Amino acid sequence: MATETQRDQWIGYETKKQFWEAVKSRYVAHAFMFLTLFVVLAPLTWMFLTSLKPNDAVFAQTYLPTTPFQGAVEAYGSALVTKGHWKAAMNSLIIAITSTTIVMALGTPAGYVFSRYRFRFDDAMFLLVIVTRLFPPIGLIIPYYQIMAYLNLLNTRTGIIIAQIYLWLPLVIYTMRNFYITIPTSLDESAKVDGCTDFQAFRHVILPLVMPGVAASAILTFLFSWREFLFAFIVSTDLQSTTLPVAVYQYIGDIQIQWASLSAAGTMSIIPAVLVVFVFQKYIVSGLTGGAVKE
Amino acid sequence: MNDHIRKILLGPGLLTLFLVFIYPVVYMFYQSFFTNITSGFDGEFVGLQNYATLFQSGRFIGNFITTLQYSFGSVIFATLAGLGIALAIQQVESDRLQDIYVSLVMAAWSIPLATAGLMWRWILQGQTGVLNTILQELGLITTNIPWLADSTLALVAVTFVDGWVRMPFAMIIIYAGLQSIPQHMYDAVKVDGATTLEAFRHVTLPYLRPSLFVAILINWMFAWRAFDIVFGMTNGGPGTATEVLSITLYRQGMELFKFGYTNAIAVVLVLVTMVVGAFYVKVILQRVDEV
C-alpha cells in the first residue's frame, strides 16, 4: 500500500481522483448506456424495418421502408398465409403453455421437498437434477430422434413437449428450491404446531408465500420454451407441429432467400418474448438470479 | 408421514426426469461403442473404435480448437460487456430508469437464438448487408467486407454474436451481485481516501467474485455447446471455419447418419462440460451444507 500511495503522489493524486469521479458520473453512465442500447436494439430494429419492405425492395439502399403499410401486408401476408406460419405460431403457443404447465406442476412440489427434507440419497437425487440441468442437450439429439421415431412421435407436438420437459424440469426444481429456501422453516413448524399436516403446511402456508417464485419460474420456462430451437428442429420440420423459430429457419433452404418475409416471421418470433420481458422484468431477473446462485 | 409427503411431492417429478433424461443418456453412451444403430440395439460392438477414429481425425481436432476459441471469445466479451453495463446502470440515479435500462438490455436475451443468428446473417451479408452499407456511407471502407464468407472474419462474427446474446445474462448476475455489496464498505474506504478505482479493486471486485464465477462458468458451458447462433449465421461455413462441435455433431448425425461416431462426439462434448460443471456443482453443494 505504501508504494501505491507514493506512486499516487507522483502521478498527482487529485488529478487521478478527479478523473475517476468523472468516469463515475451519471452522464458518462448514460452515454455508455445509449451506446449499449444502440448495439442491443439496432439489430432488432433493422429486422423490424426489413419486415416492412416488399421482398424485392429489401436490397434498395434505403434505411426506412418507403411503403411500410404495403410492405408489411406483403411480408407478413407471405409469412403468415402463403408459408402458413400462423400454424407455427399456434404450435409455439400450445407447446410453450403445455410444457410450462406440466413442468411447473411437477417441479413446484419437488423443489419444496429438496428445500425441507433430509432423506436417503437426497444429495444424489439433487445432484441428478443439477447434472440434468448442466448436461449439453445437443448430445442427446441422436438418441431423442431415434426414441421419438420408435414411439411414432416425430412431427408431433407431443414429441417436442417431451423434449421440453427434459430441458426445463430440472431448471424449475432447482430454481423453486432456491425460492423455498428463502422462506423460514419456522413457518412450516408453527403451522404444524397449530395442527396442520405436512401437506396442509405446504399447501396453505408455504405455497402462497412462494407464489412470486412460482410466477418467476413459470415466466422463465415459458420464455425458454418459446425460444427453443434445437429439439423442435430435430423432432419436427412439419408445419403441423413445428414452432415459430424453426419455421423462420426454413427460408434458408430457398434458392433466393426472401429477407422481408424471413424478417416478418423473425419479428413474430421475437415480439412475444420481448413483450414478456418488458411486462415481467422483475420476475425474470429474480428467476435468473435464483437459478444461478442461491439467493 | 414424512415418507409420504416426499413420495407424493417429489416422486412424479423425479420419475419423469428419470424417464426423459436417463434413458437417452444411457442410450447415447451405449451407441458410442457400436457401429450405427438404426433402431433398438441392432449395432455391432466395436469398443473404442469410434473414439479412435475421432481422435485420429484432423477435422475433429480442428473443430475442437474452433469450439474453444468460440466459447472463450464469447465469454470474455459477454463478461466484460456485462460488467461494464451493470456498473453503468448502477450509476444511474433513478430506480425507474435502471429498470428500463435492464429491460431494454434483456430484449437481446429474450429473442430466440436461431432468430438472432438469422438476423445477424442478414445484417452481415457481404453484398447487401446493412453494416457494409453504413460503413461505406461513413467512408470507413470502400469495398464491401465479406463478413461471413472470410474464414477468420466469420469466426470473429459468430463469436461476437454469441457474446452479444450472452451479455445480458452476465449483466443480470453481476448487477444482482453489485446490489448485495453493503454501502458502508464504500463509505469506509472513502474515509481512507481511496479513489474510485481503488474502491472498485478492493471492495467491488472481492464482493463480485461469486457472481463473476457463476456468470463466467454458466455462460461458458452454454457457449461450449452453442448451436443455434452458428447454425443460423453460417452453418459451420465457410468450409469448416466456424464448425463448432455442436455443428459437427449435427452434420455427422442428422445429415450423414453416422450414429455411432456422432455419439462418440457427444460423449466428448458431455465429458468436457461435466468436468467444468463439477466446479459449479461443488460450489452449490457447499452452499447446501450451509442451509
Side-chain angles (χ1 to χ4, degrees), chain A residues 120-141:
Chain A
R120 211 140 53 100
F121 306 124
D122 55 350
D123 274 351
M125 290 181 198
F126 188 58
L127 201 63
L128 168 72
V129 174
I130 304 176
V131 166
T132 311
R133 169 161 142 64
L134 299 180
F135 193 91
I138 181 88
L140 293 183
I141 55 172

Side-chain angles (χ1 to χ4, degrees), chain A residues 1 4 8 13 17 20-21 24 26 29-30 32-34 36-37 39-41 43-44 46-47 50 58-59 61 63 106 109-110 112-114 117-119 123 125-147 162 165-166 169-170 173-174 177 181 197-199 202 220 223-224 226-227 229-230 233-234 245 248-249 252 257 259 262-263 266 269-270 273-274 277-278 281-282 284-285 288-289 291-294, chain B residues 1-2 4-6 8-10 12-14 16-18 20-25 27-28 31 37-38 84-85 88-89 91-93 97 99 101-115 118-123 125 128 130 133-134 137 160 164 167 169 172-173 176 193-198 201-202 214 218 221-222 225 227-228 231-232 235 246 249-250 253-254 259 262-263 266 269-270 273-274 277 280-281 284-285 287-288 291:
Chain A
M1 270 319 259
E4 253 177 55
D8 284 341
Y13 180 74
K17 192 167 179 175
W20 284 107
E21 286 304 318
K24 232 181 93 174
R26 61 198 149 99
H30 282 296
F32 184 74
M33 283 315 294
F34 276 115
T36 300
L37 292 183
V39 177
V40 168
L41 299 178
L44 307 182
W46 183 243
M47 180 147 95
T50 306
V58 296
F59 299 126
Q61 306 276 326
Y63 292 111
L106 293 169
Y112 176 72
V113 177
F114 279 125
Y117 294 94
R118 302 241 101 198
F119 45 94
D123 274 351
M125 290 181 198
F126 188 58
L127 201 63
L128 168 72
V129 174
I130 304 176
V131 166
T132 311
R133 169 161 142 64
L134 299 180
F135 193 91
I138 181 88
L140 293 183
I141 55 172
I142 301 298
Y144 253 97
Y145 181 80
Q146 291 169 324
I147 293 167
I162 291 174
I165 293 173
Y166 146 63
L169 180 57
I173 296 179
Y174 177 53
R177 169 190 162 276
I181 284 175
T197 63
D198 286 355
F199 280 110
F202 167 64
L220 265 190
L223 260 179
F224 280 135
W226 179 272
R227 302 194 314 168
F229 174 81
L230 182 62
F233 184 66
I234 296 295
V248 181
Y249 187 80
I252 293 300
I257 299 175
W259 286 107
L262 186 155
S263 299
S269 79
I270 281 179
V274 172
V277 165
F278 282 153
Q281 188 248 107
K282 282 259 147 74
I284 290 164
V285 169
L288 278 182
T289 46
V293 282
K294 200 183 74 189
Chain B
M1 196 61 201
N2 270 353
H4 217 52
I5 190 167
R6 261 183 265 145
I8 291 176
L9 295 184
L10 185 59
L14 274 188
T16 310
L17 197 57
F18 198 80
V20 295
F21 178 65
I22 301 289
Y23 184 73
V25 170
Y27 200 29
M28 173 196 82
Q31 289 200 44
I37 291 179
T38 45
I85 295 163
I89 293 181
Q91 295 307 317
V92 174
E93 310 257 301
L97 215 50
D99 283 350
Y101 279 148
V102 169
S103 298
L104 288 172
V105 174
M106 295 278 291
W109 171 86
S110 70
I111 67 180
L113 297 188
T115 306
L118 292 171
M119 184 178 81
W120 279 99
R121 180 184 186 145
W122 169 225
I123 291 168
Q125 269 262 331
T128 49
V130 69
T133 311
I134 293 175
E137 282 189 12
F160 163 77
W164 182 84
M167 166 272 286
F169 177 76
I172 286 298
I173 300 300
T195 61
T196 306
L197 184 63
E198 283 164 353
R201 202 190 307 152
H202 298 297
V214 167
I218 293 199
M221 275 190 288
F222 282 83
R225 69 179 72 156
F227 178 77
D228 302 13
F231 193 62
N235 193 12
S246 57
L249 216 155
Y250 176 81
M254 301 304 289
F259 294 148
T262 304
N263 280 300
L269 196 85
V270 166
T273 315
M274 287 300 137
Y280 181 75
V281 172
I284 290 171
L285 288 186
R287 291 183 179 191
V288 172
V291 172

Side-chain angles (χ1 to χ4, degrees), chain B residues 59-80:
Chain B
R59 183 162 166 183
F60 174 78
I61 307 288
N63 295 345
F64 193 95
I65 293 167
T66 305
T67 317
L68 285 177
Q69 291 170 329
Y70 176 85
S71 53
F72 278 105
S74 158
V75 162
I76 291 168
F77 174 74
T79 310
L80 290 179

Side-chain angles (χ1 to χ4, degrees), chain A residues 109-249:
Chain A
Y112 176 72
V113 177
F114 279 125
S115 78
R116 291 294 192 271
Y117 294 94
R118 302 241 101 198
F119 45 94
R120 211 140 53 100
F121 306 124
D122 55 350
D123 274 351
M125 290 181 198
F126 188 58
L127 201 63
L128 168 72
V129 174
I130 304 176
V131 166
T132 311
R133 169 161 142 64
L134 299 180
F135 193 91
I138 181 88
L140 293 183
I141 55 172
I142 301 298
Y144 253 97
Y145 181 80
Q146 291 169 324
I147 293 167
M148 292 304 162
Y150 177 76
L151 297 173
N152 271 326
L153 288 174
L154 287 181
N155 292 321
T156 65
R157 289 191 285 247
T158 314
I160 301 176
I161 290 169
I162 291 174
Q164 300 238 5
I165 293 173
Y166 146 63
L167 289 169
W168 320 127
L169 180 57
L171 183 75
V172 168
I173 296 179
Y174 177 53
T175 313
M176 281 313 299
R177 169 190 162 276
N178 291 348
F179 279 115
Y180 287 119
I181 284 175
T182 61
I183 297 169
T185 47
S186 58
L187 286 173
D188 310 49
E189 279 149 22
S190 60
K192 283 177 209 165
V193 170
D194 289 344
C196 281
T197 63
D198 286 355
F199 280 110
Q200 286 166 337
F202 167 64
R203 170 74 189 78
H204 297 293
V205 180
I206 305 303
L207 202 52
L209 287 174
V210 85
M211 268 308 166
V214 173
S217 301
I219 292 161
L220 265 190
T221 309
F222 179 87
L223 260 179
F224 280 135
S225 170
W226 179 272
R227 302 194 314 168
E228 209 282 324
F229 174 81
L230 182 62
F231 280 89
F233 184 66
I234 296 295
V235 170
S236 158
T237 46
D238 186 311
L239 266 186
Q240 298 303 329
S241 53
T242 206
T243 59
L244 211 40
V246 178
V248 181
Y249 187 80

